[in-house]
Amino acid sequence: MLPSHLNGHSPLARRRPRLSAASPPATGDSDAAAAAADAPLAEHDRIYFQSYSHIGIHEAMIKDRVRTDAYRSAIMHHQKFIEGKVVMDVGCGTGILSVFCARAGAKCVYAVEASEMATQAREIVKANNLDDKVVVVHGRVEDVEVEDKVDVIISEWMGYMLLYESMLPSVLFARDKWLKPGGLILPSHATLFMAPITNSERYEGSVDFWSDVYGINMSALVPLAKKFTSEEPSIEIIGGENVLSWPFVVKHIDCYTFKAEELKSITTKYKVSSMMLAPIHGFGLWFEVEFNGPSNPTDKSPSDLNPLDVIRTKRRRGSEDPVVLSTAPEDEPTHWHQTILYFPDPIEVKQDQIIEGSVKVSQSEENPRFLNIQLDCTM
């Protein structure tokens, strides 16, 4: 059993906004706006939202061309559905996705943002002559009020290993309260993948390094280095060559039907076969999201498919297929990188050796935006 925790001291502090008593929404009921601004916040939410007032976070996200181009392509892919319709952008940040939707012909875009960045988003909208279409609403989506039901919900809610930050419940809240029947959600589906990985260079650089430092024996630090390496997930980039087996699906999410309660605890059993003779240094997690319409009840979800079929399907996509944003090791890197759960010590495996066990991902009781991960593995 190899427990790991995503917590406030890990390098997973990337994203999302802060609520404060800044300016009210540009339009709409002033009492509702004041209520949204004054709504009490848990301390973990206050800190979370405050982090999204920092421009550096938005710079990193927008400069991620894989991410930003995928959203822009998805909006244009669904332009016929967006044109003349009402859109809600949940956690709009700088408002870039709201601007994309307005330029795609949306009649009205409610750009909901809980951080101080709402002030700059409003200025950006005005500078692009879209203040007649885009209404920046300052507050949490759970607290604000808007005038209309919406035809489309768009949000960039994904955190490291998909679920870190737990912003998805806000999107689901908006879906249940504001989305019209038959409405569009972008992204529509998300899948979290996991696979054993090998990474001798990284392990040697973090652990074996201490055995000989400038000719000084510092091996007393090796146990501490192993403890540190395996206690917290590492956010880093690996390549397809580091992955030892076909990935398995930890969780598939259909944003049209998924319930927030399902995020409290996710447990998946796995059984994979090593594709080579190599040391296993841990497991890697990554995700992909798809920008599609509501699921056909007869469609299979990725959890029902062989991962090889999922990957082959992705590789065969044509111009008419839904846009997919992937953070897989074999794809172009994104600012999400991959999330790695390292073992204290590597384990040698042979080609075709079976690796099996279970993984449990649950929300922290102290802070539901953080995750606890429990990994069981036998070989």
Side-chain angles (χ1 to χ4, degrees):
M1 183 177 295
L2 300 163
S4 295
H5 306 280
L6 298 185
N7 57 45
H9 302 292
S10 75
L12 301 187
R14 155 195 165 265
R15 335 171 3 112
R16 272 269 188 247
R18 150 167 129 94
L19 179 66
S20 72
S23 50
T27 64
D29 187 278
S30 59
D31 292 335
D38 294 337
L41 278 179
E43 179 66 10
H44 57 74
D45 279 338
R46 187 191 65 78
I47 294 171
Y48 169 70
F49 292 134
Q50 187 174 24
S51 71
Y52 277 83
S53 297
H54 196 290
I55 192 172
I57 291 176
H58 299 279
E59 179 182 350
M61 290 190 288
I62 291 173
K63 283 184 175 178
D64 181 347
R65 296 196 64 86
V66 175
R67 164 200 178 269
T68 306
D69 283 345
Y71 271 86
R72 182 167 58 178
S73 297
I75 289 167
M76 297 313 298
H77 184 85
H78 293 283
Q79 184 175 13
K80 290 181 180 179
F81 197 99
I82 293 171
E83 197 168 11
K85 301 296 181 61
V86 179
V87 177
M88 176 175 281
D89 181 358
V90 179
C92 74
T94 61
I96 186 170
L97 302 185
S98 297
V99 170
F100 287 162
C101 288
R103 288 182 170 177
K107 178 176 71 174
C108 174
V109 182
Y110 292 112
V112 183
E113 175 56 37
S115 81
E116 298 285 3
M117 193 57 64
T119 301
Q120 283 70 39
R122 192 172 291 121
E123 294 175 1
I124 290 167
V125 167
K126 186 176 181 180
N128 287 274
N129 300 314
L130 291 171
D131 43 341
D132 61 331
K133 286 188 173 184
V134 179
V135 179
V136 178
V137 184
H138 187 198
R140 296 193 318 157
V141 73
E142 292 87 349
D143 302 322
V144 304
E145 293 294 332
V146 298
E147 295 180 358
D148 311 291
K149 292 283 187 177
V150 304
D151 303 283
V152 181
I153 291 175
I154 189 167
S155 179
E156 197 275 80
W157 55 265
M158 300 84 70
Y160 292 120
M161 59 168 286
L162 186 64
L163 301 177
Y164 180 72
E165 291 185 338
S166 294
M167 188 185 166
L168 179 58
S170 295
V171 177
L172 303 181
F173 178 93
R175 176 199 68 190
D176 295 341
K177 184 172 183 179
W178 301 112
L179 189 65
K180 295 177 182 177
L184 178 67
I185 303 176
L186 300 176
S188 57
H189 303 81
T191 308
L192 177 62
F193 295 95
M194 186 171 174
I197 62 103
T198 184
N199 197 349
S200 296
E201 183 178 354
R202 167 69 165 78
Y203 187 84
E204 291 167 1
S206 298
V207 177
D208 295 342
F209 162 79
W210 295 106
S211 298
D212 185 350
V213 183
Y214 289 93
I216 301 171
N217 183 346
M218 292 190 174
S219 55
L221 291 175
V222 168
L224 187 61
K226 290 181 179 181
K227 182 175 183 291
F228 177 80
T229 298
S230 60
E231 273 189 342
E232 295 183 352
S234 175
I235 305 303
E236 58 188 80
I237 295 175
I238 60 172
E241 69 277 5
N242 297 110
V243 181
L244 287 177
S245 76
W246 289 110
F248 59 91
V249 173
V250 176
K251 188 64 179 179
H252 176 70
I253 294 172
D254 182 338
C255 294
Y256 293 101
T257 60
F258 192 75
K259 302 297 182 184
E261 296 76 32
E262 298 178 61
L263 289 172
K264 291 182 179 178
S265 184
I266 296 168
T267 301
T268 302
K269 293 183 178 180
Y270 64 89
K271 184 176 182 180
V272 294
S273 175
S274 175
M275 294 187 291
M276 65 184 82
L277 171 67
I280 292 183
H281 291 95
F283 280 76
L285 296 106
W286 59 88
F287 67 86
E288 68 176 36
V289 296
E290 185 173 321
F291 298 82
N292 204 349
S295 293
N296 184 321
T298 61
D299 290 345
K300 287 187 175 181
S301 75
S303 57
D304 300 321
L305 297 172
N306 184 304
L308 178 57
D309 295 331
V310 175
I311 294 170
R312 283 174 175 166
T313 299
K314 183 173 69 174
R315 294 289 181 243
R316 288 198 302 265
R317 292 184 187 275
S319 59
E320 298 304 313
D321 292 314
V323 176
V324 172
L325 167 56
S326 172
T327 67
E330 69 270 14
D331 291 320
E332 186 176 349
T334 70
H335 76 286
W336 285 284
H337 302 343
Q338 287 83 38
T339 301
I340 312 299
L341 310 178
Y342 280 107
F343 296 165
D345 294 286
I347 303 171
E348 292 288 338
V349 294
K350 300 176 182 178
Q351 183 174 346
D352 300 324
Q353 184 171 339
I354 298 299
I355 305 160
E356 58 186 323
S358 65
V359 59
K360 179 180 180 181
V361 181
S362 57
Q363 291 178 330
S364 167
E365 293 184 2
E366 294 79 13
N367 184 345
R369 295 195 181 277
F370 295 161
L371 298 174
N372 294 328
I373 304 172
Q374 181 175 301
L375 176 65
D376 293 331
C377 180
T378 58
M379 303 173 210

mmCIF file of all heavy atoms in Angstrom, residues 18-52:
data_model
loop_
_atom_site.group_PDB
_atom_site.id
_atom_site.type_symbol
_atom_site.label_atom_id
_atom_site.label_comp_id
_atom_site.label_asym_id
_atom_site.label_seq_id
_atom_site.Cartn_x
_atom_site.Cartn_y
_atom_site.Cartn_z
ATOM 1 N N ARG A 18 -10.408 34.017 -6.637
ATOM 2 C CA ARG A 18 -10.722 34.468 -5.293
ATOM 3 C C ARG A 18 -11.961 35.364 -5.304
ATOM 4 O O ARG A 18 -12.146 36.178 -6.181
ATOM 5 C CB ARG A 18 -9.534 35.256 -4.769
ATOM 6 C CG ARG A 18 -9.874 36.340 -3.788
ATOM 7 C CD ARG A 18 -8.622 36.777 -3.150
ATOM 8 N NE ARG A 18 -8.461 38.192 -3.203
ATOM 9 C CZ ARG A 18 -8.820 39.024 -2.243
ATOM 10 N NH1 ARG A 18 -9.414 38.586 -1.186
ATOM 11 N NH2 ARG A 18 -8.595 40.299 -2.354
ATOM 12 N N LEU A 19 -12.762 35.185 -4.299
ATOM 13 C CA LEU A 19 -13.942 36.036 -4.155
ATOM 14 C C LEU A 19 -13.617 37.189 -3.227
ATOM 15 O O LEU A 19 -12.995 37.018 -2.199
ATOM 16 C CB LEU A 19 -15.096 35.231 -3.557
ATOM 17 C CG LEU A 19 -16.406 35.991 -3.325
ATOM 18 C CD1 LEU A 19 -17.006 36.417 -4.654
ATOM 19 C CD2 LEU A 19 -17.384 35.108 -2.566
ATOM 20 N N SER A 20 -14.037 38.378 -3.582
ATOM 21 C CA SER A 20 -13.848 39.514 -2.699
ATOM 22 C C SER A 20 -14.915 40.538 -3.009
ATOM 23 O O SER A 20 -15.700 40.392 -3.925
ATOM 24 C CB SER A 20 -12.462 40.119 -2.892
ATOM 25 O OG SER A 20 -12.421 40.795 -4.129
ATOM 26 N N ALA A 21 -14.902 41.615 -2.262
ATOM 27 C CA ALA A 21 -15.936 42.638 -2.439
ATOM 28 C C ALA A 21 -15.498 43.674 -3.452
ATOM 29 O O ALA A 21 -15.448 44.862 -3.167
ATOM 30 C CB ALA A 21 -16.231 43.297 -1.100
ATOM 31 N N ALA A 22 -15.185 43.255 -4.653
ATOM 32 C CA ALA A 22 -14.804 44.191 -5.714
ATOM 33 C C ALA A 22 -16.069 44.708 -6.370
ATOM 34 O O ALA A 22 -17.143 44.681 -5.805
ATOM 35 C CB ALA A 22 -13.881 43.513 -6.725
ATOM 36 N N SER A 23 -15.941 45.154 -7.629
ATOM 37 C CA SER A 23 -17.064 45.793 -8.294
ATOM 38 C C SER A 23 -18.187 44.808 -8.580
ATOM 39 O O SER A 23 -17.957 43.624 -8.788
ATOM 40 C CB SER A 23 -16.577 46.408 -9.607
ATOM 41 O OG SER A 23 -15.837 45.460 -10.332
ATOM 42 N N PRO A 24 -19.449 45.273 -8.618
ATOM 43 C CA PRO A 24 -20.588 44.401 -8.891
ATOM 44 C C PRO A 24 -20.689 44.075 -10.357
ATOM 45 O O PRO A 24 -19.987 44.663 -11.185
ATOM 46 C CB PRO A 24 -21.777 45.262 -8.436
ATOM 47 C CG PRO A 24 -21.306 46.673 -8.660
ATOM 48 C CD PRO A 24 -19.839 46.664 -8.346
ATOM 49 N N PRO A 25 -21.572 43.152 -10.741
ATOM 50 C CA PRO A 25 -21.775 42.844 -12.159
ATOM 51 C C PRO A 25 -22.197 44.083 -12.931
ATOM 52 O O PRO A 25 -22.839 44.990 -12.397
ATOM 53 C CB PRO A 25 -22.888 41.793 -12.131
ATOM 54 C CG PRO A 25 -22.814 41.189 -10.767
ATOM 55 C CD PRO A 25 -22.354 42.294 -9.867
ATOM 56 N N ALA A 26 -21.856 44.097 -14.207
ATOM 57 C CA ALA A 26 -22.157 45.257 -15.044
ATOM 58 C C ALA A 26 -23.660 45.443 -15.211
ATOM 59 O O ALA A 26 -24.150 46.555 -15.319
ATOM 60 C CB ALA A 26 -21.486 45.104 -16.404
ATOM 61 N N THR A 27 -24.410 44.355 -15.252
ATOM 62 C CA THR A 27 -25.855 44.456 -15.379
ATOM 63 C C THR A 27 -26.478 43.446 -14.438
ATOM 64 O O THR A 27 -25.792 42.622 -13.836
ATOM 65 C CB THR A 27 -26.317 44.146 -16.807
ATOM 66 O OG1 THR A 27 -25.994 42.787 -17.099
ATOM 67 C CG2 THR A 27 -25.659 45.067 -17.807
ATOM 68 N N GLY A 28 -27.803 43.506 -14.316
ATOM 69 C CA GLY A 28 -28.488 42.531 -13.482
ATOM 70 C C GLY A 28 -28.909 43.146 -12.170
ATOM 71 O O GLY A 28 -28.719 44.328 -11.890
ATOM 72 N N ASP A 29 -29.485 42.344 -11.311
ATOM 73 C CA ASP A 29 -30.034 42.801 -10.052
ATOM 74 C C ASP A 29 -28.923 43.179 -9.080
ATOM 75 O O ASP A 29 -28.084 42.353 -8.736
ATOM 76 C CB ASP A 29 -30.905 41.682 -9.460
ATOM 77 C CG ASP A 29 -31.647 42.147 -8.229
ATOM 78 O OD1 ASP A 29 -31.027 42.150 -7.153
ATOM 79 O OD2 ASP A 29 -32.830 42.506 -8.370
ATOM 80 N N SER A 30 -28.921 44.433 -8.611
ATOM 81 C CA SER A 30 -27.837 44.897 -7.749
ATOM 82 C C SER A 30 -27.864 44.204 -6.398
ATOM 83 O O SER A 30 -26.820 43.957 -5.791
ATOM 84 C CB SER A 30 -27.918 46.414 -7.568
ATOM 85 O OG SER A 30 -29.174 46.774 -6.998
ATOM 86 N N ASP A 31 -29.064 43.883 -5.879
ATOM 87 C CA ASP A 31 -29.155 43.184 -4.608
ATOM 88 C C ASP A 31 -28.563 41.788 -4.714
ATOM 89 O O ASP A 31 -27.866 41.321 -3.815
ATOM 90 C CB ASP A 31 -30.616 43.088 -4.161
ATOM 91 C CG ASP A 31 -31.189 44.457 -3.803
ATOM 92 O OD1 ASP A 31 -30.395 45.352 -3.448
ATOM 93 O OD2 ASP A 31 -32.426 44.621 -3.887
ATOM 94 N N ALA A 32 -28.830 41.109 -5.847
ATOM 95 C CA ALA A 32 -28.259 39.772 -6.057
ATOM 96 C C ALA A 32 -26.752 39.857 -6.162
ATOM 97 O O ALA A 32 -26.018 39.002 -5.656
ATOM 98 C CB ALA A 32 -28.842 39.139 -7.316
ATOM 99 N N ALA A 33 -26.262 40.916 -6.831
ATOM 100 C CA ALA A 33 -24.811 41.093 -6.967
ATOM 101 C C ALA A 33 -24.167 41.307 -5.611
ATOM 102 O O ALA A 33 -23.126 40.729 -5.298
ATOM 103 C CB ALA A 33 -24.525 42.286 -7.876
ATOM 104 N N ALA A 34 -24.802 42.136 -4.781
ATOM 105 C CA ALA A 34 -24.267 42.395 -3.450
ATOM 106 C C ALA A 34 -24.277 41.126 -2.610
ATOM 107 O O ALA A 34 -23.338 40.842 -1.867
ATOM 108 C CB ALA A 34 -25.078 43.500 -2.775
ATOM 109 N N ALA A 35 -25.354 40.357 -2.734
ATOM 110 C CA ALA A 35 -25.432 39.103 -1.986
ATOM 111 C C ALA A 35 -24.338 38.149 -2.396
ATOM 112 O O ALA A 35 -23.738 37.459 -1.564
ATOM 113 C CB ALA A 35 -26.809 38.456 -2.205
ATOM 114 N N ALA A 36 -24.042 38.090 -3.709
ATOM 115 C CA ALA A 36 -22.973 37.213 -4.201
ATOM 116 C C ALA A 36 -21.630 37.655 -3.638
ATOM 117 O O ALA A 36 -20.809 36.833 -3.233
ATOM 118 C CB ALA A 36 -22.938 37.228 -5.722
ATOM 119 N N ALA A 37 -21.384 38.977 -3.630
ATOM 120 C CA ALA A 37 -20.101 39.487 -3.143
ATOM 121 C C ALA A 37 -19.939 39.257 -1.656
ATOM 122 O O ALA A 37 -18.828 39.074 -1.163
ATOM 123 C CB ALA A 37 -19.984 40.975 -3.471
ATOM 124 N N ASP A 38 -21.076 39.281 -0.897
ATOM 125 C CA ASP A 38 -21.014 39.169 0.550
ATOM 126 C C ASP A 38 -21.186 37.741 1.044
ATOM 127 O O ASP A 38 -21.165 37.497 2.250
ATOM 128 C CB ASP A 38 -22.092 40.052 1.187
ATOM 129 C CG ASP A 38 -21.826 41.539 0.945
ATOM 130 O OD1 ASP A 38 -20.657 41.886 0.696
ATOM 131 O OD2 ASP A 38 -22.795 42.330 0.992
ATOM 132 N N ALA A 39 -21.394 36.799 0.131
ATOM 133 C CA ALA A 39 -21.627 35.412 0.534
ATOM 134 C C ALA A 39 -20.434 34.897 1.330
ATOM 135 O O ALA A 39 -19.281 35.096 0.941
ATOM 136 C CB ALA A 39 -21.853 34.540 -0.696
ATOM 137 N N PRO A 40 -20.677 34.247 2.479
ATOM 138 C CA PRO A 40 -19.560 33.767 3.302
ATOM 139 C C PRO A 40 -18.779 32.680 2.589
ATOM 140 O O PRO A 40 -19.340 31.867 1.847
ATOM 141 C CB PRO A 40 -20.263 33.224 4.549
ATOM 142 C CG PRO A 40 -21.661 32.885 4.094
ATOM 143 C CD PRO A 40 -21.994 33.906 3.048
ATOM 144 N N LEU A 41 -17.473 32.668 2.832
ATOM 145 C CA LEU A 41 -16.597 31.695 2.187
ATOM 146 C C LEU A 41 -15.838 30.897 3.235
ATOM 147 O O LEU A 41 -15.402 31.452 4.252
ATOM 148 C CB LEU A 41 -15.566 32.399 1.299
ATOM 149 C CG LEU A 41 -15.979 32.827 -0.100
ATOM 150 C CD1 LEU A 41 -14.803 33.512 -0.775
ATOM 151 C CD2 LEU A 41 -16.445 31.650 -0.916
ATOM 152 N N ALA A 42 -15.689 29.616 2.985
ATOM 153 C CA ALA A 42 -14.770 28.822 3.795
ATOM 154 C C ALA A 42 -13.354 29.310 3.533
ATOM 155 O O ALA A 42 -13.048 29.830 2.460
ATOM 156 C CB ALA A 42 -14.922 27.345 3.444
ATOM 157 N N GLU A 43 -12.490 29.123 4.504
ATOM 158 C CA GLU A 43 -11.121 29.631 4.371
ATOM 159 C C GLU A 43 -10.409 29.023 3.171
ATOM 160 O O GLU A 43 -9.692 29.714 2.443
ATOM 161 C CB GLU A 43 -10.333 29.321 5.655
ATOM 162 C CG GLU A 43 -8.869 29.775 5.637
ATOM 163 C CD GLU A 43 -8.691 31.279 5.578
ATOM 164 O OE1 GLU A 43 -9.691 32.014 5.740
ATOM 165 O OE2 GLU A 43 -7.555 31.725 5.355
ATOM 166 N N HIS A 44 -10.619 27.724 2.939
ATOM 167 C CA HIS A 44 -9.936 27.099 1.797
ATOM 168 C C HIS A 44 -10.431 27.668 0.472
ATOM 169 O O HIS A 44 -9.672 27.778 -0.490
ATOM 170 C CB HIS A 44 -10.071 25.564 1.833
ATOM 171 C CG HIS A 44 -11.480 25.062 1.872
ATOM 172 N ND1 HIS A 44 -12.321 25.073 0.780
ATOM 173 C CD2 HIS A 44 -12.201 24.517 2.885
ATOM 174 C CE1 HIS A 44 -13.489 24.549 1.108
ATOM 175 N NE2 HIS A 44 -13.452 24.212 2.376
ATOM 176 N N ASP A 45 -11.708 28.055 0.401
ATOM 177 C CA ASP A 45 -12.218 28.683 -0.811
ATOM 178 C C ASP A 45 -11.646 30.091 -0.977
ATOM 179 O O ASP A 45 -11.320 30.511 -2.088
ATOM 180 C CB ASP A 45 -13.748 28.753 -0.775
ATOM 181 C CG ASP A 45 -14.402 27.446 -1.186
ATOM 182 O OD1 ASP A 45 -13.745 26.648 -1.877
ATOM 183 O OD2 ASP A 45 -15.563 27.216 -0.811
ATOM 184 N N ARG A 46 -11.544 30.817 0.127
ATOM 185 C CA ARG A 46 -10.988 32.170 0.058
ATOM 186 C C ARG A 46 -9.564 32.149 -0.494
ATOM 187 O O ARG A 46 -9.213 32.934 -1.379
ATOM 188 C CB ARG A 46 -11.006 32.829 1.443
ATOM 189 C CG ARG A 46 -10.596 34.304 1.434
ATOM 190 C CD ARG A 46 -10.375 34.836 2.828
ATOM 191 N NE ARG A 46 -9.253 34.195 3.486
ATOM 192 C CZ ARG A 46 -7.980 34.504 3.235
ATOM 193 N NH1 ARG A 46 -7.675 35.423 2.331
ATOM 194 N NH2 ARG A 46 -7.007 33.880 3.870
ATOM 195 N N ILE A 47 -8.748 31.228 0.014
ATOM 196 C CA ILE A 47 -7.364 31.117 -0.457
ATOM 197 C C ILE A 47 -7.329 30.687 -1.917
ATOM 198 O O ILE A 47 -6.554 31.203 -2.727
ATOM 199 C CB ILE A 47 -6.584 30.124 0.431
ATOM 200 C CG1 ILE A 47 -6.458 30.674 1.849
ATOM 201 C CG2 ILE A 47 -5.208 29.834 -0.161
ATOM 202 C CD1 ILE A 47 -5.900 29.679 2.842
ATOM 203 N N TYR A 48 -8.188 29.732 -2.252
ATOM 204 C CA TYR A 48 -8.257 29.221 -3.628
ATOM 205 C C TYR A 48 -8.601 30.334 -4.610
ATOM 206 O O TYR A 48 -7.924 30.544 -5.617
ATOM 207 C CB TYR A 48 -9.300 28.114 -3.661
ATOM 208 C CG TYR A 48 -9.706 27.630 -5.024
ATOM 209 C CD1 TYR A 48 -8.840 26.894 -5.816
ATOM 210 C CD2 TYR A 48 -10.989 27.894 -5.505
ATOM 211 C CE1 TYR A 48 -9.238 26.430 -7.061
ATOM 212 C CE2 TYR A 48 -11.386 27.430 -6.746
ATOM 213 C CZ TYR A 48 -10.509 26.700 -7.512
ATOM 214 O OH TYR A 48 -10.901 26.255 -8.748
ATOM 215 N N PHE A 49 -9.644 31.090 -4.311
ATOM 216 C CA PHE A 49 -10.053 32.169 -5.202
ATOM 217 C C PHE A 49 -9.008 33.279 -5.247
ATOM 218 O O PHE A 49 -8.778 33.883 -6.291
ATOM 219 C CB PHE A 49 -11.408 32.729 -4.774
ATOM 220 C CG PHE A 49 -12.550 31.767 -4.965
ATOM 221 C CD1 PHE A 49 -13.486 31.574 -3.959
ATOM 222 C CD2 PHE A 49 -12.690 31.064 -6.139
ATOM 223 C CE1 PHE A 49 -14.538 30.692 -4.130
ATOM 224 C CE2 PHE A 49 -13.740 30.179 -6.326
ATOM 225 C CZ PHE A 49 -14.666 29.997 -5.319
ATOM 226 N N GLN A 50 -8.376 33.539 -4.125
ATOM 227 C CA GLN A 50 -7.361 34.589 -4.089
ATOM 228 C C GLN A 50 -6.214 34.275 -5.043
ATOM 229 O O GLN A 50 -5.651 35.171 -5.669
ATOM 230 C CB GLN A 50 -6.829 34.747 -2.665
ATOM 231 C CG GLN A 50 -5.893 35.935 -2.494
ATOM 232 C CD GLN A 50 -5.487 36.151 -1.055
ATOM 233 O OE1 GLN A 50 -5.516 35.219 -0.242
ATOM 234 N NE2 GLN A 50 -5.113 37.364 -0.715
ATOM 235 N N SER A 51 -5.876 33.003 -5.175
ATOM 236 C CA SER A 51 -4.758 32.625 -6.041
ATOM 237 C C SER A 51 -5.022 32.989 -7.500
ATOM 238 O O SER A 51 -4.100 33.208 -8.275
ATOM 239 C CB SER A 51 -4.470 31.122 -5.927
ATOM 240 O OG SER A 51 -5.501 30.354 -6.535
ATOM 241 N N TYR A 52 -6.305 33.077 -7.868
ATOM 242 C CA TYR A 52 -6.640 33.378 -9.252
ATOM 243 C C TYR A 52 -6.695 34.860 -9.563
ATOM 244 O O TYR A 52 -7.007 35.260 -10.670
ATOM 245 C CB TYR A 52 -7.942 32.678 -9.638
ATOM 246 C CG TYR A 52 -7.623 31.268 -10.034
ATOM 247 C CD1 TYR A 52 -7.487 30.290 -9.064
ATOM 248 C CD2 TYR A 52 -7.348 30.945 -11.343
ATOM 249 C CE1 TYR A 52 -7.124 29.014 -9.406
ATOM 250 C CE2 TYR A 52 -6.993 29.669 -11.700
ATOM 251 C CZ TYR A 52 -6.877 28.703 -10.720
ATOM 252 O OH TYR A 52 -6.499 27.428 -11.054
#
